[in-house]
């Protein structure tokens, strides 16, 4: 990293044992409300508001929460270089799973850790995390979620849940400081910068959607952990939107957009540091929110419509309807797990699965006589293609 490349940016260069490290500038930056920025802000605000209406039209929130969280986990893991699919993550929940489509068990565990971290983060902000008290976004919460993300996966030996005490290098093909495209904040400043960032997250300065873009840049530029910063940074965006009252549940999977436009994502982050290109970066994030909110809304409507269609086929069979509900939460299912989830008798669940098979709603895929695994192809078609 050449320090001269960052002379026009909002930050400064710190020396760490002879290594130049970039310290982001203090928040808030000065943002000009151009017509273009206001237009995309309006689009994002509208799309997110419409997405929030899904929350009011379903009687079982897990109908949407379960597939949406899995979608985000799959996309977030793919950004990190895995081949994990939505199906891989869902199958992870099934005992004696069928052959996985594209990922080894380590990659699936990494993605499923993301599912766990999303659920824990939303639970703690809502006050349902165990002690009944809600909490704001804090350094403690950030570190705890980082520890969840890195549990038993790559990076587990890199001090999960603890801020780094060594420098890290971004975009270095050989892993060296000399080849790095960017060297984040000096380890000597990480604690202070994270305290300042969390204070800003809870105080804010601009409308929440703009502050989400600003603070995501700041988090990724600080790069407070040795590994897992990207996954955690994307999760924090959802938590901020929830904390601001703009997202009632984890319905928004921004990782799909960032994965699709990965090069622009990385370039625009760097251009803020080099040139102070805030409008370009904020516009990019607002476009991500708008596009993914539209996609999530359409997905939610499709899921509800499909569920209603399935219900209409069994108007007087409550046990079958209970299993249908479970199918949307777990599109790969087994009879024992469906019995536990629905509370229905063994015979009622087996009869329900037979009925769903007869309608083509589920298909047996394990080829086993004793331990059968079923999938719901129409549900997977909707959930599996963000």
């Amino acid at each position: 990293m050449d320090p001269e490349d960052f002379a026009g940016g909002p930050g400064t260069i710190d020396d760490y044992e002879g290594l130049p490290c970039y310290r982001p500038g203090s928040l808030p930056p000065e943002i000009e409300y151009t017509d273009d920025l206001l237009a995309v802000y309006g689009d994002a605000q509208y799309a997110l508001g419409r997405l929030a209406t899904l929350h009011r039209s379903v009687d079982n929130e897990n109908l949407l929460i379960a597939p949406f969280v899995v979608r985000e986990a799959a996309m977030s893991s793919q950004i990190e270089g895995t081949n994990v699919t939505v199906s891989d993550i869902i199958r992870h929940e099934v005992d004696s799973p069928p052959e996985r489509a594209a990922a080894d068990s380590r990659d699936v565990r990494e993605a499923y850790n993301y599912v766990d971290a999303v659920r824990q983060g939303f639970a703690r902000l809502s006050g349902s995390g165990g002690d009944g008290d809600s909490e704001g976004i804090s350094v403690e919460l950030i570190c705890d979620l980082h520890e969840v993300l890195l549990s038993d996966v790559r990076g587990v030996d890199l001090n999960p849940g603890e801020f780094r005490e060594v420098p890290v290098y971004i975009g270095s093909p050989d892993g060296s400081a000399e080849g790095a495209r960017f060297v984040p904040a000096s380890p000597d400043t990480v604690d202070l910068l994270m305290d300042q960032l969390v204070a800003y997250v809870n105080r804010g300065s601009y409308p929440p959607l703009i502050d989400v873009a600003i603070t995501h840049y700041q988090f990724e530029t600080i790069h407070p952990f040795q590994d897992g910063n990207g996954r955690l940074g994307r999760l924090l965006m959802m938590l901020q939107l929830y904390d601001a009252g703009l997202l009632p549940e984890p319905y928004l999977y921004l990782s799909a957009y960032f994965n699709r436009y990965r090069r622009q994502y990385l370039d625009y982050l760097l251009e803020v540091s080099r040139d102070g290109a805030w409008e370009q970066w904020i516009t990019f994030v607002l476009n991500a929110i708008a596009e993914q909110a539209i996609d999530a809304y359409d997905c939610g409507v499709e899921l509800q419509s499909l569920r209603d269609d399935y219900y209409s086929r069994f108007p007087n069979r409550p046990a079958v309807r209970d299993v249908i509900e479970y199918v949307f939460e777990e599109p790969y299912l087994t009879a024992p797990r469906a019995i536990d989830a629905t509370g229905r008798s063994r015979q009622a669940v087996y009869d329900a699965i037979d009925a769903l098979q007869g309608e083509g709603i589920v298909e047996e895929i394990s080829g086993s006589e004793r331990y059968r695994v079923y999938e719901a192809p129409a549900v997977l078609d909707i959930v599996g293609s963000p």
Side-chain angles (χ1 to χ4, degrees), residues 148-221:
V148 173
L149 286 172
L150 268 62
S151 175
D152 298 323
V153 295
R154 289 174 294 189
V156 70
D157 58 338
L158 299 176
N159 303 315
E162 298 180 15
F163 292 147
R164 59 182 171 87
E165 298 179 350
V166 296
V168 290
Y169 315 125
I170 308 299
S172 177
D174 60 1
S176 69
E178 293 75 19
R181 190 184 192 206
F182 182 73
V183 180
S186 163
D188 291 340
T189 65
V190 168
D191 283 1
L192 173 62
L193 290 172
M194 285 303 296
D195 283 341
Q196 292 173 341
L197 174 59
V198 168
Y200 183 81
V201 166
N202 289 292
R203 180 185 74 247
S205 180
Y206 293 100
L209 290 183
I210 292 178
D211 271 337
V212 163
I214 291 170
T215 55
H216 184 70
Y217 160 81
Q218 196 82 350
F219 180 85
E220 297 301 336
T221 304

Side-chain angles (χ1 to χ4, degrees), residues 287-364:
N287 275 322
I289 291 171
E291 185 168 315
Q292 294 309 122
I294 291 169
D295 189 68
Y297 179 83
D298 292 343
C299 174
V301 170
E302 284 189 74
L303 286 170
Q304 291 180 73
S305 177
L306 186 64
R307 196 272 304 267
D308 292 344
D309 172 49
Y310 290 169
Y311 265 26
S312 70
R313 304 185 200 184
F314 303 98
N316 301 309
R317 299 188 63 178
V320 179
R321 286 187 164 206
D322 285 349
V323 176
I324 288 172
E325 200 78 12
Y326 178 63
V327 159
F328 281 84
E329 296 179 29
E330 299 289 347
Y332 290 96
L333 73 150
T334 65
R337 293 180 69 87
I339 291 168
D340 289 342
T342 63
R344 295 288 180 175
S345 70
R346 182 178 183 276
Q347 190 59 54
V349 167
Y350 275 98
D351 288 345
I353 290 175
D354 286 343
L356 297 180
Q357 270 192 287
E359 288 288 319
I361 293 172
V362 300
E363 299 174 355
E364 198 273 325

Side-chain angles (χ1 to χ4, degrees), residues 277-290:
W278 281 107
E279 182 181 352
Q280 176 181 254
W281 166 250
I282 293 170
T283 298
F284 176 78
V285 173
L286 292 175
N287 275 322
I289 291 171

Side-chain angles (χ1 to χ4, degrees), residues 104-167:
D104 63 29
S105 58
R106 182 191 64 179
D107 291 343
V108 175
R109 178 70 253 173
E110 185 174 289
Y112 206 76
N113 283 354
Y114 193 93
V115 175
D116 289 343
V118 169
R119 288 173 172 161
Q120 184 179 134
F122 273 75
R124 286 176 61 170
L125 289 183
S126 69
S128 59
D131 58 12
D133 294 328
S134 60
E135 58 181 286
I137 294 174
S138 64
V139 168
E140 180 183 7
L141 177 62
I142 290 170
C143 289
D144 287 350
L145 295 181
H146 184 261
E147 189 168 5
V148 173
L149 286 172
L150 268 62
S151 175
D152 298 323
V153 295
R154 289 174 294 189
V156 70
D157 58 338
L158 299 176
N159 303 315
E162 298 180 15
F163 292 147
R164 59 182 171 87
E165 298 179 350
V166 296

